[in-house]
């Protein structure tokens, strides 16, 4: 996959990279990145010599038919691990276990602390579960990563990407060994997560919003729904006014 998909991405999009020396040549580490586009999980591994393992929803691996099998093969090939997302807590625990297994195997574990793609290009509050718990349970260093302009290449809902150069900034490893074994303390988890998000913000230059991206998506959806309802009411009133005018003209 690195030679086929990764090589093609590098030739076609020519991503620029800063801080590549911060990725260890061997040994475990956690890559914590902002999340702007579906393509983030492909551009980052493409520029690294080592394999990066991300987690993905289990549906990508269990869909029926030929298309389902091809999709499963693709996600396995690019280093994705299936996680059953049925039940919020179950999904979180599965993600944590997957991350710990990758770290114990000496690999690079990729995770998006925001939990979902940014709906508007801004950086949102990191979720304190997966990232911090994996870091504190394993003692692995956390390397902040900033994806730049990938949302412009493939915005949500767009299938065909736009040819332009994305950027990747890789920060210096963060050591949280002082909190090792304290993964049950929610205040420590919050502190670790916020520190990582601050470093990602500095690398990316994004505006930071202190709410979860999932909440922002709900707000945006609610606003769009309200706008559509208001538009429908205006159209209804306009039609009623036109009908009244026509009726008066006929009289």
């Amino acid at each position: 996959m690195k030679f086929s998909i990764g090589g093609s991405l590098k030739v076609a999009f020519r991503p620029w990279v800063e801080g590549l020396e911060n990725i260890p040549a061997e040994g475990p580490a956690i890559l914590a990145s902002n999340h702007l586009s579906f393509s983030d999980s492909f551009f980052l591994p493409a520029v690294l010599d080592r394999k990066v393992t991300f987690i993905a929803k289990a549906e990508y691996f269990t869909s029926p038919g030929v298309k389902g099998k091809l999709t499963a093969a693709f996600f396995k090939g690019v280093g994705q691990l299936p996680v059953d997302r049925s039940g919020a807590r179950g999904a979180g625990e599965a993600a944590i276990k997957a991350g710990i297994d990758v770290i114990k195997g000496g690999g690079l574990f990729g995770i998006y602390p925001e939990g979902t793609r940014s709906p508007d290009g801004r950086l949102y509050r990191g979720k304190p579960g997966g990232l911090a718990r994996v870091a504190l349970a394993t003692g692995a260093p956390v390397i902040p990563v900033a994806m730049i302009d990938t949302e412009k290449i493939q915005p949500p809902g767009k299938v065909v990407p736009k040819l332009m150069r994305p950027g990747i900034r890789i920060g210096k490893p963060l050591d949280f060994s002082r909190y090792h074994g304290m993964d049950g303390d929610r205040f420590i988890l919050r502190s670790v997560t916020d520190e990582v998000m601050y470093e990602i913000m500095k690398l990316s230059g994004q505006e930071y919003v202190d709410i979860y991206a999932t909440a922002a998506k709900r707000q945006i959806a609610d606003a769009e729904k309200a706008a559509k309802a208001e538009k429908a009411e205006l159209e209804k009133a306009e039609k009623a006014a036109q009908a009244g005018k026509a009726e008066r003209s006929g009289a």
Side-chain angles (χ1 to χ4, degrees), residues 35-41 112 117-118 150-155:
H35 198 13
L36 297 172
S37 167
F38 176 77
S39 60
D40 294 336
S41 298
Y112 302 112
R117 281 175 285 178
S118 170
T150 53
E151 82 282 9
K152 298 176 183 176
I153 291 174
Q154 191 177 23

Side-chain angles (χ1 to χ4, degrees), residues 64-231:
V66 175
K67 182 180 178 182
K69 290 181 179 179
L70 289 174
T71 301
F74 175 78
F75 277 95
K76 288 176 183 176
V78 296
Q80 305 271 353
L81 287 177
V83 171
D84 184 358
R85 303 197 304 177
S86 56
R89 184 169 179 79
E93 293 299 327
I96 291 164
K97 183 180 183 304
I100 291 174
D101 288 344
V102 172
I103 294 300
K104 285 184 176 179
L108 297 178
F109 177 59
I111 189 169
Y112 302 112
E114 291 168 280
T116 187
R117 281 175 285 178
S118 170
D120 54 14
R122 296 185 294 177
L123 184 68
Y124 286 85
R125 194 181 196 203
K127 295 191 173 183
L131 165 65
R133 286 184 60 185
V134 173
L136 300 190
T138 62
V142 178
I143 301 175
V145 177
M147 306 301 296
I148 312 292
D149 290 337
T150 53
E151 82 282 9
K152 298 176 183 176
I153 291 174
Q154 191 177 23
K158 297 292 183 181
V159 177
V160 180
K162 179 182 179 181
L163 282 176
M164 60 177 292
R165 294 189 74 185
I168 302 171
R169 288 196 182 100
I170 303 169
K172 295 185 180 300
L174 303 174
D175 180 14
F176 295 108
S177 58
R178 61 191 182 279
Y179 300 130
H180 183 64
M182 300 175 68
D183 49 307
D185 188 321
R186 63 188 181 92
F187 295 106
I188 296 295
L189 296 178
R190 180 76 267 161
S191 176
V192 168
T193 305
D194 287 346
E195 184 174 338
V196 174
M197 298 308 295
Y198 179 71
E199 293 299 322
I200 294 174
M201 181 187 70
K202 289 197 300 182
L203 290 169
S204 68
Q206 290 170 280
E207 177 186 348
Y208 179 75
V209 185
D210 196 23
I211 63 172
Y212 293 122
T214 48
K217 286 184 175 181
R218 285 195 298 269
Q219 291 176 2
I220 292 171
D222 290 344
E224 290 176 348
K225 185 177 179 181
K228 287 180 180 179
E230 183 179 357
K231 182 180 178 182

Side-chain angles (χ1 to χ4, degrees), residues 31-50:
L31 304 185
S33 173
N34 60 339
H35 198 13
L36 297 172
S37 167
F38 176 77
S39 60
D40 294 336
S41 298
F42 305 114
F43 280 116
L44 179 57
V47 302
L48 303 181
D49 292 332
R50 298 181 59 185

